Amino acid sequence: MENKSFVTIAKHSKDKILYLLEMAKEFEKKPNRRLLDGKIVATLFFEPSTRTRLSFETAANRLGAKVIGFTDPKVTSSSKGETLKDTIMMVSNYADIIVMRHYLEGAARYASETAPVPIVNAGDGANQHPSQTMLDLYSIYKTQGTLENLNIYLVGDLKYGRTVHSLLMAMRHFNPTFHFIAPDELRMPEEYKLYCEENHIRYFEHTDFTEETIADADILYMTRVQRERFTDLMEYEKVKDVYILHNRMLEYTRPNLRILHPLPRVNEIAYDVDDNPKAYYFQQAKNGLYAREAILCDVLGITLDDVKADTLK
């Protein structure tokens, strides 16, 4: 079978993205199925994770697959010096698909070029997080009724935030207008601004985070300043609390505004926002189950027609 690894969102066509979203919609109707009965899913997490790991493992279990893997590389042979290639080749003997998070940018692509089984990128350093992007797109589509012509505001750590990098690439098909709100130290990297220009994506940059700045947002995508990406903790302390969203800031925002966050939250969204109907980050995390069920099935050759036929059983 062709290796259909899911490493980056950048090469997915508009039709492919909409296809996966349609599949996620079917799984929301009926999450529990036996479409992957007899399959083994390996989850290799070389970096900490809660939502991504648990939602992938839940997705596998709800689809009838078995799960093996680890959440701490210190308990594996990598702590003895085993290379990533050897780990991937070894685990490929036991599993039909590998879901991997790694601290090195490009690790998932390297694994996909090495492994005889498909690789799903669950985040590689500050590079990309394509499965998060699929649940973000599904959340945007559910709340806005469309992916087209939206004003999307990305706030916080745009330098190291792999979720915003992947989202930017995926939205190139849908004529968005992006607003990048970040301190100078955490600005969107030049390579992604160049990507916007090459793909005719409108964007504006801001350093102010006020009621006026976000008044026209359809989607307000908050991000955590990631302490683990900083080598200088003084720099982290300088920027960690620069932008905090408070409930009072939402009074004059658009009625259709929804607030997203890949989580975990630290200080960037005040708890008084949680009860606002525009807050959607916990529902967004729930949508991760359906999006990741779709990814696992697609990578393993299960089609949308197969999923719809299973609904009738």
Side-chain angles (χ1 to χ4, degrees):
M1 185 177 70
E2 177 190 359
N3 188 324
K4 294 179 63 179
S5 291
F6 187 80
V7 171
T8 175
I9 205 74
K11 293 186 177 180
H12 277 53
S13 68
K14 181 176 183 177
D15 287 345
K16 181 65 173 183
I17 288 172
L18 294 175
Y19 174 89
L20 289 172
L21 295 181
E22 184 65 25
M23 194 181 286
K25 183 179 177 182
E26 292 297 320
F27 282 120
E28 184 168 8
K29 295 176 186 175
K30 181 186 173 185
N32 295 331
R33 304 166 186 257
R34 307 300 298 178
L35 291 166
L36 297 185
D37 194 20
K39 298 293 186 182
I40 303 293
V41 177
T43 55
L44 310 186
F45 279 74
F46 294 86
E47 241 188 358
S49 172
T50 301
R51 277 147 299 279
T52 302
R53 180 179 64 84
L54 291 179
S55 63
F56 264 118
E57 292 184 355
T58 302
N61 280 301
R62 289 193 181 278
L63 291 168
K66 299 291 194 301
V67 178
I68 62 172
F70 58 81
T71 60
D72 183 355
K74 293 178 182 177
V75 302
T76 73
S77 291
S78 63
S79 65
K80 303 175 185 178
E82 183 174 66
T83 65
L84 177 61
K85 177 182 178 180
D86 285 2
T87 298
I88 292 297
M89 293 301 292
M90 182 272 297
V91 174
S92 296
N93 291 323
Y94 310 140
D96 300 287
I97 182 173
I98 294 173
V99 178
M100 187 180 82
R101 169 169 289 187
H102 203 279
Y103 49 86
L104 291 178
E105 296 182 20
R109 178 170 299 284
Y110 173 76
S112 72
E113 294 168 351
T114 301
V117 300
I119 301 292
V120 174
N121 183 5
D124 58 332
N127 186 29
Q128 290 200 44
H129 197 349
S131 71
Q132 176 73 40
T133 302
M134 289 310 304
L135 75 91
D136 291 343
L137 293 174
Y138 188 53
S139 299
I140 293 169
Y141 185 78
K142 281 182 66 176
T143 60
Q144 305 300 313
T146 183
L147 292 174
E148 302 282 354
N149 305 312
L150 296 173
N151 291 327
I152 301 177
Y153 287 58
L154 307 177
V155 183
D157 185 354
L158 308 188
K159 180 178 181 180
Y160 300 112
R162 57 194 173 199
T163 64
V164 296
H165 300 160
S166 290
L167 181 60
L168 187 155
M169 291 180 165
M171 287 299 299
R172 73 190 185 281
H173 301 297
F174 303 102
N175 193 38
T177 299
F178 279 106
H179 290 257
F180 303 149
I181 304 177
D184 288 338
E185 296 89 343
L186 296 175
R187 294 173 63 187
M188 183 67 73
E190 290 299 321
E191 64 189 279
Y192 292 104
K193 289 189 281 186
L194 180 60
Y195 183 89
C196 286
E197 292 160 11
E198 291 173 344
N199 288 275
H200 310 292
I201 300 172
R202 290 184 301 277
Y203 72 88
F204 302 90
E205 292 189 273
H206 313 266
T207 54
D208 292 335
F209 182 53
T210 64
E211 294 90 333
E212 293 76 20
T213 309
I214 64 173
D216 292 328
D218 297 307
I219 294 294
L220 183 61
Y221 196 104
M222 302 295 298
T223 66
R224 170 177 67 94
V225 176
Q226 302 173 78
R227 180 175 180 175
E228 63 271 25
R229 306 288 177 211
F230 283 78
T231 55
D232 185 344
L233 288 183
M234 291 295 289
E235 285 297 310
Y236 168 75
E237 292 294 331
K238 180 180 175 182
V239 297
K240 69 173 183 176
D241 293 327
V242 171
Y243 302 138
I244 300 176
L245 179 66
H246 294 278
N247 194 50
R248 65 178 181 273
M249 298 173 65
L250 301 172
E251 184 176 358
Y252 299 110
T253 53
R254 292 181 172 183
N256 63 300
L257 172 71
R258 291 299 179 270
I259 302 155
L260 303 185
H261 192 307
L263 301 175
R265 158 177 61 180
V266 183
N267 300 318
E268 60 279 355
I269 299 179
Y271 287 103
D272 64 1
V273 175
D274 292 356
D275 294 328
N276 192 303
K278 296 176 181 179
Y280 194 75
Y281 28 90
F282 294 121
Q283 297 96 315
Q284 175 190 2
K286 184 177 181 180
N287 290 336
L289 170 62
Y290 317 127
R292 287 173 174 131
E293 284 187 295
I295 291 167
L296 290 176
C297 282
D298 181 66
V299 167
L300 287 171
I302 305 296
T303 68
L304 178 57
D305 287 341
D306 294 331
V307 177
K308 288 182 175 179
D310 181 77
T311 304
L312 302 176
K313 294 179 181 178

